[in-house]
Amino acid sequence: MELQPEMILLDQEYATKEEAIRASGQLLVEAGCVEPEYVDAMIERNKLVSVYMGNFIAIPHGTDEAKRYVKKSGISVIQVPTGVHFGKDDTEDVAMVLFGIAGIGDEHLDILQKIAIFCSDVENVVKLADAKTKEEIIGYLQEVE
């Protein structure tokens, strides 16, 4: 998983899940991975099926139709220590780490699998949520290789 420091935001806070999804998508836009329209498709995907995955993580990504807006595969990571509610009302679906992903072809499936395996252990999610530097986050996620 090739992570770039400029694709990581630490200690963020968002009022809504839409704000958080847009922020993760904007990192992908700024890195040249996707066209701006992809960000709207990330919001749409969450409306169709929640991008909250459990274990305090969310993986915003676009709809299948939005693949045409993907220029290159990429992943953004946003740390939200106070959490963002992804459920309805006050459910416990709170994400403290967001992984924004875009993939050429089926590359995103490989990225998704690696994230899912790493984050299936909630201790790993805690490490990401508590990390103080971007390099720390990169180090943890490179262990997945």
Side-chain angles (χ1 to χ4, degrees), residues 1-69:
M1 211 178 318
E2 186 62 35
L3 280 174
Q4 306 298 325
E6 62 273 11
M7 300 277 286
I8 300 171
L9 293 178
L10 300 175
D11 203 22
Q12 300 297 296
E13 204 168 295
Y14 302 100
T16 67
K17 60 189 170 192
E18 286 81 10
E19 275 183 34
I21 293 169
R22 286 198 184 280
S24 65
Q26 189 58 37
L27 288 171
L28 294 169
V29 171
E30 290 168 8
C33 297
V34 299
E35 301 287 342
E37 293 85 352
Y38 187 80
V39 180
D40 292 328
M42 293 170 83
I43 298 291
E44 186 60 32
R45 161 71 72 185
N46 187 63
K47 288 179 183 170
L48 297 170
V49 179
S50 178
V51 296
Y52 179 76
M53 301 295 162
N55 272 10
F56 306 102
I57 67 161
I59 307 178
H61 55 289
T63 59
D64 289 339
E65 297 78 42
K67 281 191 171 292
R68 65 180 183 262
Y69 302 123

Side-chain angles (χ1 to χ4, degrees), residues 126-138:
V126 170
K127 286 181 194 175
L128 294 174
D130 290 345
K132 300 294 181 219
T133 66
K134 295 177 179 188
E135 292 71 27
E136 231 180 309
I137 287 178
I138 291 170

